[in-house]
Amino acid sequence: MMNFSLKRAQGATILLLAVTLSACQTTGVKNESGVQTTYQDSTKPGPATGIGIEGQDIIAMADAMMRDMMLSPQLANAAVPPRVIIDAKHFTNESAQRINKNLIADRLRVGLLRAARGRMQFVGREYADVVAKERELKRSGTVDVATTGRTQAQAGSDYRLVGRIASLDSRDTSTGMQQRFTQITFEMVDLESGILIWTNIYDFTKAAADSVTYR
Amino acid sequence: MKWVKTSVAVYVAISLAACQTLQDHEKERVVSAEELKMALAGKPAELHGDYRILLAQGERNAVLNHARIGVKAFEMGDIKLARRELAAAADRIETVYADNTAAKQALGKFVKENIKDFKGEPYERAMVFYYLGLAYLAEGDFENARASFKAGEFQDTLSTEEEYQADFALLNYLSGWASKCNGDDELAEDAFSVAHEHRHTLAPPEASMSTLVIYESGQAPAKFAAGKYDEQLKVRRGYQTGIDEITYDPDGLKLTLNMAANVYWQASSRGGREIDTILAGKAKFKDGMDATGTVLAQVGAGTALYGAGAGNRDAALVGLGILVVGLIAKAAAEAAQPDADIRYIDVLPDTVTLAATGSGAAPGSFSGRGAEVVQAFPGETCGLIWARDVSIMKTLPVRAPNSAAPAT
C-alpha cells in the first residue's frame, strides 16, 4: 500500500515536471477573425465613439436647422422664392475636431431643397465653374441651347449660409473624464445688406473616460 | 485523492500561463501573400515593409504603426498618404476606450499591460496630432490643421502634474499659425500669446510672414521598464544634438530657428499614470505568491519526505498536498505579469525648432548637423519648410521597438 502511494506521488511529480516544461513552449498566434460588415443605424452612436461630432449629431443638427429654417417667413414664405446658397465655403471650423464641413452643409441643403418644394431656390455656387463652361459652349455654338433657354447671367443669390463650429475641451485628471462642449452656429446672411435674417445654434456636450489602462 | 488531481489540474493551468516570456498577443500573425498583395496595392515601395508589419501586428499596434507610416510618408513628401495614415492613428486615439476587452484584460494579473491597443503616452498622442496638423498645413487645409493642433494640445492635458498640463507651446504656436494662414487674426493672436507664455522664445510672427520653417533633430524618447519585475515605465532621452538654436540660410537670409518643443521634456514631465498603481499591485501579488509558495513547497517536501521515511502514508500524502499547493502558488507568481507597456513611437524627434519668415519656401541650408531631409510645401497662402537632421527612413527599422515578435 505504501509503495503504491509513493509511486503515485512520484508519477504526479513527473507529470508536473513534464507539464511545466511543456508550458514553457510558445503556443502560436491567435488570429482575430475580424468582424463582418454590418449596417449601423446612422441616427444612433456606433460601436466606435468619442466626444466630438459624430454621424448622429450631423443628422440631428441638420434636421433641426432645416425645420427651423422652414419656419422663417423670409426664407420659406416670401412672395418671391428667395435664392440661397448653402455650402461650406463660409462655414468655419474653429473647434478641436477635424471635420469635413460638407457633411453638414450638404445634408442641410438637400433636406431644405426637398422640404421647401419651390418656396426657396438654391444656387449651386460651388459649381459655378461648371456652369460657366457650359454657358461658354452654348454661346460659342459648340453645343445647342438645350431646353430651358438662356439667362443673362448665372443666378445671383439673396442669402447665404454662414456659420461656425467651436468647441471647449476640459478634463478631470482625477477621474479621467474628458468633456467637449461643441457649439455649431448657423446663420443666413442677406448678401445685399449684410443683415442676418435667420440664426440658430446647435450645441451638445459629451463626456467620457478611457479605461484606466490609458490614464 | 481527488483533491490531489484537482490541485494538479490547477497547477497545470497556471503553468501554461507561466514560463512564457512572450504572451500570445505579443506575437505577430502570419500575413498571407494574397492579403499582403491587396494591402500593398498603390502603396510606395519604400513603405511595403511597414505595411506588412501593420497587418501582422493588427489593431493592437495600429496607432503605433499608422503613426510611424504617417511620419515616414511625411518625410517622403507624400502628404496625402501621411495625412491619411496619421488621421487613422488620430481617430483611434480620440476613440474612447471604455469597456474595451483588451483594456480589461490588461488589468488582470496574468496578462501584460501591452495587451491593450496602443494609444501612446500623452506626448506621443500630442505628437501624432502635431504631424497630422503639419500634413493639413502642407495641403493648405488650415482649419483642420488648427483642429489637429488643438486636439494635440488637449492630449497633453492628461498630465497629472498640473503645472505641466497643456504646456505644449509648439502646438499653441502652430494653432496660431494655422489661424493666421486662415485669416482668423483674433484666434491667431490668442494662440500665439499662449505659446509665448509657455515658451518665451516663441514670439508671434509679423503679419507679413507667410512661410514657416520647422527643423527637427535628435531621436525620440525611448521607453524602458524598471523595477524588480519591470513594472515601472521609464523614459530615457534619445540621441540629442544639444543645439538649441539653428540657423537657416535661404537666399542669403540668415534665419534663426528657436526651440519650440523638447519632446523628452514632454515625455518625462507627465507625472504618474493611474495604471502604475495596478502594475505595482501585480508586482506585489507576484512577490507575495512567490514567498508563500516557497514556504509551502519547503514544508510540504519536508513533511512528505518525513512521511515516506517513517512509513506514514497519511503524512506523506499531506506533505505532497502542501507541496502541490506551494507549487501552485509558485506557478501563479511566475504567471503574474506586472510588466509595464514599453511600446513607443520611435519616429519622433528629440527637439523641434522653428521660425517664421516672409520669404518663399526657397531651399537653403541648416546649421548644426544640417538636414538630411528637407521638404518644401510652397502653398498659395502659407508655405511650410520641414527639415530633419537624420532621415528616419534610413535609420529606423520597420518594426517599432518592443511592439511584437515576428511570426514563427
Side-chain angles (χ1 to χ4, degrees):
Chain A
M1 191 68 161
M2 179 69 199
N3 284 342
F4 175 71
S5 294
L6 282 176
K7 269 185 182 173
R8 291 188 74 168
Q10 276 177 339
T13 308
I14 291 165
L15 179 68
L16 283 172
L17 194 61
V19 171
T20 305
L21 286 173
S22 69
C24 293
Q25 307 290 318
T26 53
T27 55
V29 181
K30 272 186 196 167
N31 289 343
E32 289 187 13
S33 55
V35 178
Q36 289 285 348
T37 303
T38 57
Y39 280 95
Q40 304 284 323
D41 185 344
S42 304
T43 61
K44 290 179 180 159
T49 56
I51 56 169
I53 301 172
E54 288 162 347
Q56 72 274 10
D57 301 316
I58 290 173
I59 290 172
M61 88 171 79
D63 189 57
M65 293 305 117
M66 181 196 76
R67 288 172 190 278
D68 197 48
M69 277 189 202
M70 292 304 297
L71 295 175
S72 163
Q74 281 165 288
L75 285 171
N77 273 319
V80 180
R83 292 180 189 165
V84 296
I85 300 172
I86 294 185
D87 60 24
K89 182 92 175 165
H90 295 280
F91 207 75
T92 318
N93 176 22
E94 295 180 0
S95 76
Q97 178 171 357
R98 292 162 288 126
I99 192 166
N100 181 348
K101 297 176 295 183
N102 289 334
L103 284 170
I104 299 171
D106 288 354
R107 192 155 192 104
L108 188 55
R109 184 181 61 250
V110 171
L112 267 177
L113 196 147
R114 294 176 66 84
R117 295 175 183 273
R119 283 179 284 173
M120 278 184 255
Q121 290 188 321
F122 296 83
V123 178
R125 184 57 50 81
E126 61 186 312
Y127 309 117
D129 284 353
V130 181
V131 178
K133 276 179 192 162
E134 185 66 16
R135 287 171 64 89
E136 179 54 34
L137 289 173
K138 285 177 181 173
R139 277 147 189 79
S140 67
T142 311
V143 298
D144 67 16
V145 189
T147 60
T148 55
R150 291 183 179 188
T151 57
Q152 201 173 10
Q154 288 196 40
S157 183
D158 300 307
Y159 309 120
R160 179 163 202 156
L161 179 79
V162 295
R164 185 176 293 140
I165 306 168
S167 68
L168 183 65
D169 291 344
S170 52
R171 188 191 299 274
D172 181 347
T173 51
S174 64
T175 60
M177 286 299 288
Q178 48 182 314
Q179 179 176 303
R180 177 171 293 165
F181 168 68
T182 304
Q183 174 177 293
I184 303 106
T185 309
F186 296 83
E187 294 179 313
M188 197 65 90
V189 63
D190 184 320
L191 291 174
E192 200 60 38
S193 67
I195 291 170
L196 297 174
I197 61 142
W198 172 89
T199 183
N200 202 344
I201 274 180
Y202 189 90
D203 63 65
F204 56 85
T205 299
K206 290 185 185 180
D210 268 323
S211 155
V212 70
T213 56
Y214 292 105
R215 309 202 301 257
Chain B
M1 293 301 283
K2 210 171 185 181
W3 61 271
V4 175
K5 284 180 190 168
T6 310
S7 302
V8 170
V10 171
Y11 176 79
V12 168
I14 296 174
S15 294
L16 286 171
C19 291
Q20 295 182 21
T21 49
L22 282 180
Q23 296 196 307
D24 278 351
H25 68 265
E26 295 177 288
K27 297 170 206 161
E28 291 171 0
R29 69 185 182 88
V30 177
V31 180
S32 71
E34 192 184 352
E35 189 183 0
L36 190 61
K37 192 179 168 190
M38 281 173 65
L40 296 183
K43 303 290 191 320
E46 299 94 319
L47 296 173
H48 281 188
D50 297 83
Y51 278 104
R52 187 182 61 75
I53 294 295
L54 173 68
L55 277 178
Q57 297 190 350
E59 195 58 29
R60 189 178 75 92
N61 285 340
V63 167
L64 185 62
N65 289 315
H66 280 301
R68 293 181 91 245
I69 295 171
V71 178
K72 287 182 178 181
F74 195 91
E75 177 178 311
M76 291 164 57
D78 191 338
I79 292 305
K80 201 173 170 186
L81 181 64
R83 195 239 306 140
R84 209 165 50 220
E85 292 296 332
L86 291 160
D91 288 345
R92 287 169 170 84
I93 289 171
E94 287 190 318
T95 298
V96 174
Y97 277 57
D99 295 326
N100 178 272
T101 309
K104 278 182 189 167
Q105 285 177 318
L107 299 174
K109 290 191 169 50
F110 303 112
V111 181
K112 289 183 190 171
E113 184 199 351
N114 67 11
I115 193 172
K116 71 184 182 186
D117 290 355
F118 178 88
K119 274 195 179 195
E121 294 302 309
Y123 77 94
E124 293 169 295
R125 301 182 198 181
M127 288 302 284
V128 166
F129 284 99
Y130 157 74
Y131 283 110
L132 178 58
L134 288 188
Y136 279 121
L137 272 187
E139 286 184 320
D141 184 346
F142 304 120
E143 291 185 14
N144 277 326
R146 175 174 55 204
S148 302
F149 297 132
K150 279 185 165 187
E153 190 191 333
F154 185 54
Q155 293 300 327
D156 188 44
T157 61
L158 202 58
S159 169
T160 53
E161 304 287 333
E162 197 174 338
E163 64 177 302
Y164 302 131
Q165 287 174 11
D167 65 344
F168 225 131
L170 166 68
L171 297 172
N172 298 126
Y173 186 94
L174 290 172
S175 170
W177 182 262
S179 290
K180 181 181 181 303
C181 295
N182 204 47
D184 302 323
D185 294 339
E186 281 182 23
L187 289 175
E189 201 178 310
D190 288 348
F192 286 134
S193 161
V194 176
H196 185 62
E197 199 178 301
H198 288 309
R199 196 175 272 278
H200 294 298
T201 50
L202 290 177
E206 290 169 21
S208 60
M209 293 176 166
S210 59
T211 297
L212 188 66
V213 184
I214 292 180
Y215 176 83
E216 299 177 358
S217 68
Q219 287 175 326
K223 293 181 190 171
F224 66 99
K228 189 176 176 184
Y229 300 115
D230 290 340
E231 75 277 15
Q232 294 165 18
L233 173 64
K234 301 280 182 189
V235 182
R236 78 165 67 88
R237 194 165 186 177
Y239 166 78
Q240 53 189 294
T241 60
I243 305 168
D244 283 0
E245 260 189 20
I246 300 290
T247 308
Y248 177 57
D249 186 16
D251 298 334
L253 169 77
K254 284 212 163 181
L255 186 68
T256 303
L257 277 67
N258 293 310
M259 180 64 68
N262 177 329
V263 181
Y264 170 71
W265 166 254
Q266 292 297 333
S268 57
S269 63
R270 81 155 284 187
R273 307 178 304 161
E274 287 189 47
I275 183 72
D276 291 339
T277 314
I278 290 159
L279 296 181
K282 287 190 192 184
K284 204 172 168 186
F285 169 84
K286 194 175 179 80
D287 248 348
M289 289 303 275
D290 190 51
T292 307
T294 302
V295 171
L296 288 175
Q298 284 172 350
V299 170
T303 309
L305 284 173
Y306 165 77
N312 184 338
R313 177 177 174 272
D314 290 343
L317 283 175
V318 168
L320 181 63
I322 295 172
L323 175 65
V324 169
V325 172
L327 287 174
I328 289 172
K330 294 281 281 182
E334 187 63 33
Q337 305 286 349
D339 312 52
D341 180 7
I342 53 170
R343 292 171 288 176
Y344 65 93
I345 303 178
D346 57 340
V347 292
L348 308 179
D350 175 62
T351 56
V352 180
T353 52
L354 61 77
T357 175
S359 69
S365 59
F366 289 86
S367 66
R369 283 172 53 89
E372 234 175 59
V373 187
V374 181
Q375 293 289 354
F377 308 102
E380 280 179 24
T381 318
C382 284
L384 173 68
I385 294 173
W386 177 85
R388 190 150 183 173
D389 61 343
V390 175
S391 163
I392 54 169
M393 293 291 291
K394 289 182 191 168
T395 54
L396 295 181
V398 290
R399 191 175 280 107
N402 316 312
S403 55
T408 49

